[in-house]
Amino acid sequence: MTFVTKLSFASGDHDVLAETVQDLKSTLERKGAECKGPHATPAETVRVPLYKQLRAGDEFSPWNYDVYKRSMEIHGADDIAREVVGRDFPDSIHVEVEVDQKKPLGHRRD
């Protein structure tokens, strides 16, 4: 059975995100792991209301910022995927990891 490790990255700092993901991709290729991505999704603009008091009513102009996202998949190479997931990423990047188990075609469940 093969494992697929799915990595999702989100950050408000576009440059740090791009550099981190590209460095990760280079590392995976150098180690011989099969990697798909990074895939980019359009930036999401987040709007945060700012109130002058603790109750709703009078507001300052809202604070708007963009969140950039990238995703990658590592197929097989469980030891390399484990090493990558254990890596220290910059604090400005939110990382989510999902591991799926893929069974070969024709595999029967007993």
Side-chain angles (χ1 to χ4, degrees), residues 54-73:
L54 292 177
R55 60 182 184 274
D58 239 359
E59 293 183 22
F60 291 109
S61 297
W63 177 43
N64 297 311
Y65 64 96
D66 293 327
V67 176
Y68 304 93
K69 296 181 180 182
R70 301 286 184 273
S71 62
M72 299 175 76
E73 290 183 359

Side-chain angles (χ1 to χ4, degrees), residues 30-81:
R30 189 175 58 248
K31 292 188 176 207
E34 182 185 342
C35 176
K36 293 186 180 179
H39 305 290
T41 55
E44 175 185 338
T45 300
V46 178
R47 181 180 180 273
V48 180
L50 300 173
Y51 298 101
K52 292 182 179 180
Q53 298 180 11
L54 292 177
R55 60 182 184 274
D58 239 359
E59 293 183 22
F60 291 109
S61 297
W63 177 43
N64 297 311
Y65 64 96
D66 293 327
V67 176
Y68 304 93
K69 296 181 180 182
R70 301 286 184 273
S71 62
M72 299 175 76
E73 290 183 359
I74 303 170
H75 293 260
D78 303 339
D79 53 334
I80 297 170

Side-chain angles (χ1 to χ4, degrees), residues 87-98:
R87 202 181 235 206
D88 284 331
F89 292 99
D91 290 338
S92 62
I93 298 178
H94 175 77
V95 181
E96 291 184 13
V97 179
E98 180 182 335

